[in-house]
Amino acid sequence: MGNSAILTENQEMELRKKIDSYVGKIQAEIDSLRADGTDKVIFLQNHIGTTKRDRTITKEEKDKILAKDMAELEKAKAEEERNKSQVSNLVSDAEAYIKIHFDKEYYQPVCMSCQAEKEVARREYQSKIDKLKAEHQEAISKLSGHQEIKDEKYVFKNKLFDAKMNLEKELHRIKDRKHSAYMHKYHLLDLLRMSKFTFAETCAQKWENYKYTFNRRTFFLQNGLYIAILLVFIALCIITPIVKNAPLLTYNNVLNILQQASPRMFLALGVAGLILLTGTDLSIGRMVGMGMTTATIIMHQGINTGSVFGHIFDFTGMPVGARVLLALVACVVLCTFFTTIAGFFTAKFKMHPFISTMANMLVIFGLVTYATKGVSFGGIEPSIPQMIIPKVNGFPTIILWAVAAVIIVWFIWNKTTFGKNLYAVGGNPEAAAVSGISVFRVTVGAFILAGILYGFGSWLECARMFGSGSAAYGQGWEMDAIAACVVGGISFTGGIGRISGVVVGVFIFTALTYSLTILGIDTNLQFVFSGIIILVSVTLDCLKYVQKK
């Protein structure tokens, strides 16, 4: 393809002129038909809305204005209805013309021109590089001093960099030109239809914008870890049938993964809010142990065999439903009590959450172990799991609890003032404070929300495991929850993250652990895999932060 394929700016405008002229005449007719109809309807509807919200005028004046507007609105709607068929025919005519002529007579020649320009730009770049190398070799051959040679190499390196930047600039200009030509069709349709596009047209625009803004380095920086983990899962799906003579991706295995992930989802959602505030929580595992022990004691089958501070509890006199509710309330209250303490010290004394939650971890484990002598309290009433998390046709409804938690926390993060303040404080607490946001309240609120979620999570885990609560239960779960958040894109730099990322992170870790267990990989080696994933996740997060800075 030679230079003859390259269009000048004037030539490109000439190609587009015929299309713009034809569609422009139709657009002018449509605008004249819409002037007293659709345009006036939109104006009056906005004016009515503004008038209703206006508190500076009296009720009598407001009623008078609204009555006048409503009368004019009825006339405008009638005019709109009369012209509707004519406008529709004109729009169809313009659309048909665009469909026949736009790509063939304008967009395709522009694409060919852009391709030719790219080839010319790359040839010129290569020619420039060859010339610079030749000049560099000639200059080096004439120099003898070490410093002179070093300076020449430095100058040569800068010239190569400048040439590369010029090429990138030229390629980006060509990319802009092609993108602008593509989007011009939708600009014409936008005017014709008043911003109404079909589903296919909306998808086409989104795909074009994605291609236009796509950057390979940014893509791998944001999704490289997910791609690597996906490849690991694919490898496990191939290896497992060979080694264990059983497929990995079965319906039952998927349900088991979701079932195991459900209680952990509550924990990850809780700590995600703290990470959003550039914090963390090291006491999650001990919270689970405390909640499991409390729930098991209250819902225990028969009289408790173990004692708490020397006292043996007996809740068998209470109805089972009341015991279930009491266990939930006790778990939530205890977990929230301790997270509130950590939140208070973090917010009031600017203590790092690492310290306040580590103190919580030690206090909780010490108290629960001392109170129960570290024993396991056995099983709960067999009927309770069927009340809380029954299986419906083999489907574990514990998954629905996790879905409900995700929806509620998503709503809190994205649709409430507290959620918006959470992002603001996490992103820049000083700026948030200046804008009138109470950093103290937001921080303590995040810890309270975390405590509620921990309580629910430990209560559900107790039902899933049929009890067996002990102080040691949940050890290391804080690492899984934190790692799931980091893998899911909740940044330790603060103010960055989405609930969808937390969900993905929890599923990734649960599925990986489950897959490695089925494959027979030693538990200790599973920690190695988790550690590598965490390290890579945080590294990518740091790289994104550095790039942003």
Side-chain angles (χ1 to χ4, degrees), residues 360-380:
N360 252 358
M361 174 185 70
L362 297 172
V363 170
I364 293 169
F365 183 65
L367 280 175
V368 177
T369 305
Y370 176 76
T372 63
K373 306 302 180 186
V375 300
S376 175
F377 279 79
I380 60 175

Side-chain angles (χ1 to χ4, degrees), residues 3 147 167 298 331 342 393 523 538:
N3 290 346
Q147 186 60 42
L167 173 65
I298 297 172
C331 288
N393 295 326
T523 306
V538 176

Side-chain angles (χ1 to χ4, degrees), residues 115-148:
Q115 186 60 37
E117 286 182 82
K118 283 183 182 179
E119 292 178 7
V120 170
R122 290 193 175 103
R123 283 200 301 269
E124 289 179 351
Y125 169 71
Q126 190 57 51
S127 176
K128 180 70 173 177
I129 294 298
D130 293 340
K131 183 179 178 182
L132 288 173
K133 285 181 178 178
E135 290 175 353
H136 175 62
Q137 292 299 328
E138 184 180 353
I140 288 288
S141 64
K142 296 178 182 178
L143 301 174
S144 57
H146 174 74
Q147 186 60 42
E148 291 177 333

Side-chain angles (χ1 to χ4, degrees), residues 262-264 266-267 287-299 320-333 335 380 384-385 387-390 397-398 401-402 451-467 473 477:
S262 296
R264 295 170 186 263
F266 283 82
L267 310 179
M287 294 271 187
V288 172
M290 177 178 63
M292 279 280 289
T293 303
T294 304
T296 303
I297 290 170
I298 297 172
M299 299 188 295
V320 175
R323 292 167 66 185
V324 170
L325 184 61
L326 178 61
L328 173 59
V329 172
C331 288
V332 170
V333 168
C335 290
I380 60 175
I384 289 177
M387 291 175 58
I388 303 174
I389 48 172
T397 55
I398 190 173
W401 284 90
I452 294 170
L453 291 166
Y454 298 160
F456 263 96
S458 58
W459 177 70
L460 282 175
E461 181 65 10
C462 180
R464 188 181 77 87
M465 296 301 294
F466 291 85
Y473 197 93
W477 281 33

Side-chain angles (χ1 to χ4, degrees), residues 26-39 79-95 189 191-194 196:
I26 294 176
Q27 185 66 54
E29 290 184 57
I30 293 172
D31 289 343
S32 64
L33 291 170
R34 285 175 176 165
D36 295 326
T38 304
D39 292 347
E79 181 70 17
E80 181 184 37
E81 190 62 32
R82 277 194 297 272
N83 297 331
K84 187 175 181 180
S85 176
Q86 192 176 351
V87 169
S88 179
N89 291 335
L90 288 169
V91 170
S92 297
D93 182 13
E95 286 176 349
L189 293 174
L191 295 173
L192 289 168
R193 300 184 192 157
M194 301 184 74
K196 293 178 182 177

Side-chain angles (χ1 to χ4, degrees), residues 292-360:
M292 279 280 289
T293 303
T294 304
T296 303
I297 290 170
I298 297 172
M299 299 188 295
H300 194 268
Q301 184 178 9
I303 301 172
N304 279 282
T305 53
S307 63
V308 180
F309 291 113
H311 179 75
I312 295 177
F313 286 92
D314 179 12
F315 291 93
T316 54
M318 294 178 63
V320 175
R323 292 167 66 185
V324 170
L325 184 61
L326 178 61
L328 173 59
V329 172
C331 288
V332 170
V333 168
L334 283 172
C335 290
T336 306
F337 172 75
F338 282 102
T339 55
T340 303
I341 292 174
F344 174 79
F345 279 94
T346 300
K348 184 70 175 177
F349 302 106
K350 309 302 179 186
M351 186 183 295
H352 197 282
F354 183 93
I355 302 299
S356 59
T357 58
M358 181 176 66
N360 252 358

Side-chain angles (χ1 to χ4, degrees), residues 117 195 536:
E117 286 182 82
S195 303
V536 173

Side-chain angles (χ1 to χ4, degrees), residues 2-291:
N3 290 346
S4 59
I6 297 176
L7 298 171
T8 65
E9 188 174 338
N10 289 335
Q11 287 173 329
E12 181 182 338
M13 290 298 105
E14 194 64 33
L15 290 176
R16 204 168 78 181
K17 186 177 179 180
K18 180 182 176 183
I19 298 168
D20 286 348
S21 177
Y22 186 90
V23 176
K25 289 178 181 177
I26 294 176
Q27 185 66 54
E29 290 184 57
I30 293 172
D31 289 343
S32 64
L33 291 170
R34 285 175 176 165
D36 295 326
T38 304
D39 292 347
K40 199 167 185 180
V41 167
I42 294 171
F43 170 77
L44 288 169
Q45 286 174 340
N46 291 333
H47 190 257
I48 288 169
T50 304
T51 304
K52 287 180 178 180
R53 294 188 298 270
D54 193 347
R55 297 183 180 181
T56 62
I57 57 178
T58 63
K59 187 178 183 302
E60 292 75 13
E61 290 176 322
K62 186 179 292 187
D63 291 341
K64 186 178 179 181
I65 295 171
L66 290 175
K68 181 182 177 183
D69 283 351
M70 291 301 294
E72 291 185 15
L73 181 62
E74 290 302 318
K75 292 179 182 178
K77 284 183 176 180
E79 181 70 17
E80 181 184 37
E81 190 62 32
R82 277 194 297 272
N83 297 331
K84 187 175 181 180
S85 176
Q86 192 176 351
V87 169
S88 179
N89 291 335
L90 288 169
V91 170
S92 297
D93 182 13
E95 286 176 349
Y97 185 86
I98 290 170
K99 186 176 182 179
I100 294 169
H101 296 275
F102 188 87
D103 284 352
K104 183 179 178 181
E105 297 178 12
Y106 172 64
Y107 183 62
Q108 288 178 6
V110 171
C111 288
M112 293 171 65
S113 174
C114 290
Q115 186 60 37
E117 286 182 82
K118 283 183 182 179
E119 292 178 7
V120 170
R122 290 193 175 103
R123 283 200 301 269
E124 289 179 351
Y125 169 71
Q126 190 57 51
S127 176
K128 180 70 173 177
I129 294 298
D130 293 340
K131 183 179 178 182
L132 288 173
K133 285 181 178 178
E135 290 175 353
H136 175 62
Q137 292 299 328
E138 184 180 353
I140 288 288
S141 64
K142 296 178 182 178
L143 301 174
S144 57
H146 174 74
Q147 186 60 42
E148 291 177 333
I149 294 173
K150 186 178 178 181
D151 291 342
E152 172 57 30
K153 288 181 178 179
Y154 180 76
V155 171
F156 174 64
K157 186 178 178 181
N158 285 339
K159 288 180 178 179
L160 290 178
F161 180 78
D162 289 341
K164 185 178 179 181
M165 288 298 101
N166 288 333
L167 173 65
E168 293 294 330
K169 184 179 178 180
E170 180 63 14
L171 291 177
H172 199 278
R173 183 194 65 78
I174 296 167
K175 185 179 179 182
D176 287 344
R177 183 180 185 181
K178 184 179 177 182
H179 176 72
S180 178
Y182 181 88
M183 295 305 295
H184 185 68
K185 176 171 71 174
Y186 293 97
H187 168 68
L188 296 175
L189 293 174
D190 181 30
L191 295 173
L192 289 168
R193 300 184 192 157
M194 301 184 74
S195 303
K196 293 178 182 177
F197 296 105
T198 65
F199 177 74
E201 288 168 345
T202 302
C203 291
Q205 290 181 78
K206 287 182 178 179
W207 175 242
E208 171 63 22
N209 287 326
Y210 177 78
K211 289 192 295 180
Y212 176 67
T213 57
F214 178 80
N215 180 278
R216 190 181 291 107
R217 184 176 183 276
T218 303
F219 175 80
F220 283 108
L221 197 60
Q222 293 178 343
N223 304 290
L225 181 65
Y226 298 133
I227 295 170
I229 291 173
L230 180 63
L231 293 175
V232 169
F233 280 132
I234 292 172
L236 289 172
C237 290
I238 296 170
I239 294 169
T240 303
I242 298 171
V243 177
K244 295 295 179 179
N245 295 320
L248 180 60
L249 283 179
T250 64
Y251 177 73
N252 287 333
N253 283 346
V254 171
L255 284 184
N256 286 335
I257 290 170
L258 294 175
Q259 192 172 356
Q260 288 183 17
S262 296
R264 295 170 186 263
M265 189 70 71
F266 283 82
L267 310 179
L269 290 170
V271 77
L274 307 184
I275 296 175
L276 205 66
L277 296 176
T278 67
T280 187
D281 192 343
L282 300 182
S283 64
I284 297 173
R286 300 311 179 189
M287 294 271 187
V288 172
M290 177 178 63

